[in-house]
Amino acid sequence: MSGESGQPEAGPSHAGLDWPNPDRNRAGVPGGVIRRAGSQGPRSWIQKVLEQIMDSPRQCVTPSEVVPVTVLAVQRYLLEDEPRDTVPKPPLYCYDVTISDGVYQEKCYLDPSLNSLVYQNILKVGIQMRISRVSCLYNEKRIGQGILCIDNVHCGETSDSISLETPFRNRAHQEKPERPLRGGKSHYLALWNNEDPYGDIWLTDKQPEEHNFSDTKIISLSHLEMTWTNRRNFPALLVRILHKSKLRYYGKPDKKMIEPYQTFLEVADSSGTVSVIMWNALCPEWYKSLRVGLVLLLQDYSVKKSYPFRIQPVPVDPQIKLISTMEICLNLRDPPTNIIIIPEKQVKPEWRLPKLNHRFTTRSELDDMPENCICDVIGLLVFVGRVQRSKKKENREDFWSYRWIHIADGTSEQPFIVELFSTSQPEIFENIYPMAYFVCTQLKVVRNDNQVPKLLYLTTTNESGVFITGHRGQPYTYDAKNANRPSTSQAARVEIQERNGKRHQDDEPVNSQYFQTTSTNLSLSNKIRILQGPHANPVAVPQPGASVQTKGIKPGMPSIFNRRANINTSLQGKARKTISDRWESQLWREKKFGLIDHLHYSRVYPESIPRKFMFEHRKFLSDQYNSQPAKYVPPEGRPPKLDDFKSARSLGHFEVTILGLNHEIAIDVAFLPMYCPEDIRTSQIDTLLTSMNYSCAYPQDTTGNDRLPGPRAVAGDIIKAATELDRVHIVGILDICNLGNNKVEVYLHKIYSPENTS
């Protein structure tokens, strides 16, 4: 560890090490002087490898001794084109890997040929790995300076004991803010997407400050709209933030911009509302400090004609004029914009700044809302799905991060189902759990009333924001429209308490609430593969508990339907017994021994099973269903195991074998229907085909005091219904989920008969 002076407090002797100059140069290779170490103190494997490189005439060497090192960080950035490149290349994301040998830490460059180890979550923080080939990328402008490159590795298991106390061999790696080893970028990106701010360049300390307006000339937005083309200098704007978009990263290898970020603010005064674009270095400085509801004084900005294809969000007040002919641009230079946050106590009524007007919607009202309608919701989280990723474009490395959540507000038996994309708020997105009060703004309604069953859920927009803690002081708490409205979140808590038959304190676990966990990120190819069969254009029903990844269309016939369910036989959940119900078609008995290939993908890994929530273990469970972090964080105490938490799937899962139309290839897949007796819908699903179309199973209708059938009885009905599909041609949609570390799951998402392709 380092003290305030930057000198190591303890550790090996540093005799013989010439510490580097932190200055960078145009070659993109930082100073890292490679010198022989003295003989005092424990020997470092990292230092010995560097000495071996110096003694070798070859640039690439095999270490004379291969010992395990611990991975402490995996950090991503965009590498710029080299000066000799004449043709623009697609974006190449590189990774710097920080390792420790118990004596020193060293930040190394990972050869791009090994990037797939990161994509597949094999190379990740906390593991031990053995480096079998290394090289040195030299700084050709300075003698003895270069960076250590990892060219070949073998990744092992997670290390039980990891120390963060070892010092960096190269002091340049301790600089703040952290800088990538190669290229001219000043910062790292988030590990799994480009929308989330990551690293210490993102400031959060901007505070309101009182301003003397006596010498400040203010212009209204409507007046500016009429006169900006004839002005060279623009008076100050006094506005309130109505919407704030997520970040947009537009870095490209051939662009030499250091911090290529962009974000939109929708601001308004008494005369209208307009879009404000914040560019480049201003985003790390201001983005995390600006929030909806703040009043800003903007000076030294620029104005340009608005981009014709951008759709502005719906105004919070329909009476406010929407100005769409111009945009306000904020830059660090040309000219350097001055931004001041005005304290709310200094805001005067005569300024007539618009108030916020949230569109809070109850779940009972959602059923009547039209497609694409915008609304805000508040309630209790009752389901939190694992983080998933989907590609933005084919053959590119850019992904969207998202997860499915359920929010209950007590006005309906149905929760809000929300497709929650990253909103550039990783501190919230990665730390949500059941039984937390949750607010999400600017959601869009997605519905399809023509399919059976009807499709209805909410999805985030570019201006969506989420809030989970510290609701006091948030903008929606000042919304006069909602001042006298009953608290839907409180209604949800009462409804959930009644459903569980007992009251709970705020910090007690509610075991009926659950979330889906996974200990790995999803590394996706998103390639649609049509094997053989009729053309199909199915409408996919989003399943919050499903891992929606690669879609494969597989025609064939279901041949085996086997149900497996783990049933607890003790309170501790240590001992379990497996209940199995099975159906096998006669056709399968005839053909199974003559197959060309039989693919086995019906296994469901522990991290893919939804678990009952326990508040005291919320940190551990949150870590399991999030993506892998970029830096190692030591666990608190001795963490539990996933198998210690009760499954939320009372039906277990079904193993389905689908036989190809030519009877030459078969595949085993998993089918995980949702079943919860207390959530009976009005629709009745009584056939296997309909059940799979919806990925849900419902018990038979009951009247009066008839007792609902248990999950085993429902499972038996599904097995029985499978016989109806004997020798029937079907088309199945398969979700292929890469859990990382060479673990792949394939789920049967939906099946339908070729006669009905709607």
Side-chain angles (χ1 to χ4, degrees):
M1 300 294 287
S2 301
E4 293 182 359
S5 64
Q7 298 292 335
E9 297 175 349
S13 169
H14 303 284
L17 289 178
D18 187 356
W19 294 103
N21 186 331
D23 292 339
R24 304 173 66 86
N25 53 62
R26 295 180 62 186
V29 180
V33 179
I34 302 174
R35 298 286 177 84
R36 297 183 186 278
S39 59
Q40 299 179 5
R43 289 283 287 166
S44 165
W45 178 85
I46 293 172
Q47 187 65 39
K48 287 191 290 185
V49 169
L50 291 173
E51 292 175 2
Q52 186 179 347
I53 291 178
M54 292 179 61
D55 292 337
S56 174
R58 300 164 55 195
Q59 190 175 8
C60 181
V61 301
T62 299
S64 57
E65 180 185 7
V66 179
V67 300
V69 295
T70 303
V71 179
L72 300 182
V74 179
Q75 295 170 291
R76 183 177 69 105
Y77 57 99
L78 181 67
L79 189 63
E80 296 174 346
D81 285 344
E82 300 292 339
R84 60 180 177 271
D85 293 332
T86 58
V87 179
K89 296 183 298 187
L92 174 62
Y93 293 102
C94 295
Y95 296 90
D96 291 343
V97 179
T98 301
I99 60 175
S100 172
D101 62 4
V103 180
Y104 283 127
Q105 294 182 31
E106 182 79 2
K107 185 182 291 186
C108 308
Y109 174 72
L110 186 71
D111 188 272
S113 64
L114 302 179
N115 284 3
S116 61
L117 296 178
V118 180
Y119 304 154
Q120 298 172 33
N121 210 35
I122 297 173
L123 200 168
K124 56 187 176 182
V125 298
I127 67 165
Q128 287 195 334
M129 69 178 184
R130 296 176 183 268
I131 303 175
S132 56
R133 190 169 68 246
V134 297
S135 60
C136 184
L137 184 63
Y138 290 100
N139 183 344
E140 297 178 350
K141 295 187 177 182
R142 295 188 179 182
I143 298 177
Q145 291 189 352
I147 56 178
L148 184 65
C149 303
I150 299 174
D151 297 325
N152 197 10
V153 297
H154 174 75
C155 297
E157 299 297 325
T158 302
S159 177
D160 294 330
S161 58
I162 299 178
S163 174
L164 301 179
E165 301 299 320
T166 53
F168 275 100
R169 184 199 65 83
N170 186 338
R171 278 192 194 173
H173 300 167
Q174 294 176 299
E175 289 182 330
K176 301 295 182 181
E178 291 183 287
R179 293 183 175 221
L181 289 178
R182 297 193 61 190
K185 301 299 182 186
S186 66
H187 67 290
Y188 289 104
L189 299 170
L191 187 56
W192 302 114
N193 65 53
N194 290 342
E195 284 71 42
D196 288 343
Y198 170 82
D200 42 24
I201 69 166
W202 297 88
L203 306 180
T204 59
D205 57 353
K206 300 293 185 180
Q207 300 296 326
E209 55 182 275
E210 293 195 3
H211 180 74
N212 185 0
F213 286 90
S214 59
D215 297 326
T216 303
K217 184 178 180 180
I218 306 292
I219 188 172
S220 69
L221 290 175
S222 60
H223 191 196
L224 181 64
E225 180 189 24
M226 294 185 292
T227 61
W228 72 272
T229 55
N230 300 321
R231 291 179 177 268
R232 300 188 61 181
N233 298 307
F234 304 109
L237 295 173
L238 186 62
V239 292
R240 187 186 297 277
I241 302 176
L242 302 183
H243 297 295
K244 172 185 169 183
S245 76
K246 61 185 174 184
L247 285 168
R248 174 178 174 261
Y249 179 79
Y250 63 94
K252 294 182 179 179
D254 58 338
K255 302 294 184 182
K256 301 300 180 182
M257 294 184 177
I258 297 178
E259 292 158 348
Y261 286 97
Q262 176 196 72
T263 189
F264 284 84
L265 303 174
E266 301 301 321
V267 303
D269 61 10
S270 60
S271 66
T273 178
V274 72
S275 295
V276 172
I277 310 175
M278 184 178 292
W279 292 94
N280 304 332
L282 272 186
C283 290
E285 182 181 355
W286 281 96
Y287 183 82
K288 298 188 75 172
S289 298
L290 298 180
R291 58 180 175 83
V292 172
L294 290 180
V295 175
L296 302 181
L297 182 69
L298 304 178
Q299 298 172 307
D300 300 321
Y301 54 88
S302 60
V303 184
K304 69 173 185 177
K305 187 177 180 180
S306 61
Y307 184 67
F309 300 107
R310 180 177 179 267
I311 300 176
Q312 292 178 265
V314 179
V316 296
D317 188 342
Q319 296 182 350
I320 298 179
K321 179 184 178 182
L322 183 63
I323 299 174
S324 57
T325 57
M326 68 175 186
E327 294 175 342
I328 309 298
C329 297
L330 309 182
N331 272 293
L332 193 61
R333 53 186 177 270
D334 299 328
T337 300
N338 184 31
I339 304 173
I340 300 176
I341 302 176
I342 303 299
E344 192 66 32
K345 64 181 180 181
Q346 196 182 0
V347 177
K348 299 180 180 179
E350 54 266 30
W351 295 350
R352 295 187 297 117
L353 295 178
K355 299 294 183 180
L356 296 182
N357 186 13
H358 283 89
R359 307 177 184 87
F360 281 109
T361 299
T362 66
R363 180 57 184 86
S364 59
E365 296 170 340
L366 180 63
D367 293 328
D368 299 324
M369 296 179 65
E371 171 87 1
N372 296 326
C373 185
I374 300 297
C375 65
D376 309 321
V377 301
I378 184 172
L380 283 179
L381 286 170
V382 294
F383 172 88
V384 178
R386 61 184 174 188
V387 175
Q388 304 177 48
R389 300 196 304 156
S390 61
K391 271 194 173 182
K392 296 181 179 179
K393 293 183 179 180
E394 190 63 34
N395 301 321
R396 298 284 291 270
E397 297 180 40
D398 298 327
F399 289 84
W400 299 111
S401 293
Y402 70 100
R403 70 191 332 156
W404 291 94
I405 61 174
H406 288 185
I407 305 174
D409 71 351
T411 66
S412 170
E413 290 186 356
Q414 308 296 324
F416 293 104
I417 298 178
V418 180
E419 184 184 30
L420 182 65
F421 284 87
S422 172
T423 57
S424 299
Q425 298 171 277
E427 67 281 358
I428 298 179
F429 185 80
E430 298 173 359
N431 291 282
I432 58 177
Y433 50 83
M435 292 311 298
Y437 290 103
F438 194 76
V439 174
C440 195
T441 61
Q442 290 294 113
L443 295 173
K444 182 174 68 175
V445 177
V446 179
R447 69 184 311 146
N448 185 347
D449 295 336
N450 295 324
Q451 74 174 55
V452 179
K454 296 180 180 179
L455 179 70
L456 177 62
Y457 67 97
L458 301 171
T459 188
T460 49
T461 62
N462 197 48
E463 292 78 24
S464 291
V466 292
F467 309 90
I468 191 170
T469 58
H471 294 282
R472 179 175 297 178
Q474 296 295 351
Y476 52 83
T477 61
Y478 299 107
D479 192 342
K481 175 184 175 183
N482 300 289
N484 298 319
R485 185 168 189 159
S487 171
T488 56
S489 58
Q490 181 62 30
R493 177 172 291 276
V494 172
E495 189 263 341
I496 289 172
Q497 289 169 352
E498 292 175 349
R499 182 181 296 183
N500 286 275
K502 59 180 180 179
R503 297 187 60 85
H504 297 274
Q505 299 299 322
D506 286 345
D507 292 341
E508 288 183 351
V510 177
N511 291 329
S512 67
Q513 312 315 313
Y514 61 98
F515 53 83
Q516 186 161 14
T517 62
T518 182
S519 58
T520 57
N521 75 291
L522 304 178
S523 132
L524 317 178
S525 64
N526 266 19
K527 183 177 290 184
I528 298 179
R529 182 176 62 155
I530 302 178
L531 300 181
Q532 179 187 358
H535 174 71
N537 185 24
V539 180
V541 179
Q543 296 302 319
S547 45
V548 182
Q549 278 71 273
T550 305
K551 299 288 187 184
I553 300 180
K554 172 70 176 179
M557 290 173 282
S559 296
I560 294 182
F561 218 79
N562 187 25
R563 178 227 179 192
R564 296 187 182 275
N566 290 326
I567 307 298
N568 291 343
T569 57
S570 67
L571 293 177
Q572 291 78 17
K574 299 294 184 181
R576 291 177 170 87
K577 63 180 180 180
T578 299
I579 296 178
S580 180
D581 299 302
R582 183 180 178 89
W583 169 77
E584 183 174 310
S585 71
Q586 180 61 37
L587 178 63
W588 176 249
R589 297 189 187 99
E590 298 170 358
K591 301 295 183 180
K592 62 182 177 182
F593 297 112
L595 298 175
I596 296 177
D597 197 5
H598 188 178
L599 307 175
H600 302 281
Y601 288 103
S602 61
R603 180 178 177 181
V604 177
Y605 289 90
E607 57 263 35
S608 298
I609 299 174
R611 305 285 176 174
K612 294 294 182 70
F613 176 65
M614 297 182 67
F615 186 84
E616 60 268 29
H617 295 298
R618 62 191 181 279
K619 178 64 170 63
F620 167 79
L621 291 171
S622 296
D623 292 342
Q624 302 307 304
Y625 65 77
N626 278 326
S627 300
Q628 285 287 342
K631 288 188 174 182
Y632 174 75
V633 179
E636 299 176 358
R638 186 175 182 180
K641 296 181 179 180
L642 270 179
D643 287 339
D644 295 335
F645 297 89
K646 187 177 180 181
S647 169
R649 286 191 182 274
S650 55
L651 275 180
H653 73 278
F654 295 82
E655 298 175 353
V656 183
T657 298
I658 301 176
L659 181 64
L661 295 180
N662 292 328
H663 301 169
E664 296 176 341
I665 299 176
I667 183 172
D668 299 338
V669 298
F671 174 51
L672 283 75
M674 293 297 298
Y675 167 76
C676 194
E678 61 263 28
D679 289 337
I680 299 177
R681 292 358 182 233
T682 55
S683 61
Q684 180 61 41
I685 297 181
D686 52 8
T687 67
L688 179 65
L689 185 63
T690 313
S691 178
M692 288 187 175
N693 276 343
Y694 196 44
S695 289
C696 290
Y698 297 97
Q700 299 292 326
D701 285 332
T702 58
T703 58
N705 296 324
D706 291 344
R707 187 175 180 179
L708 290 174
R712 186 171 185 181
V714 174
D717 292 340
I718 293 178
I719 295 288
K720 183 179 178 181
T723 61
E724 301 173 8
L725 298 182
D726 191 8
R727 297 179 181 268
V728 173
H729 287 195
I730 58 96
V731 175
I733 301 177
L734 306 180
D735 292 337
I736 304 174
C737 177
N738 185 346
L739 297 179
N741 204 17
N742 295 321
K743 295 189 296 186
V744 176
E745 296 172 333
V746 180
Y747 296 101
L748 181 58
H749 178 77
K750 183 178 180 181
I751 65 173
Y752 54 92
S753 59
E755 291 79 12
N756 181 15
T757 59
S758 59

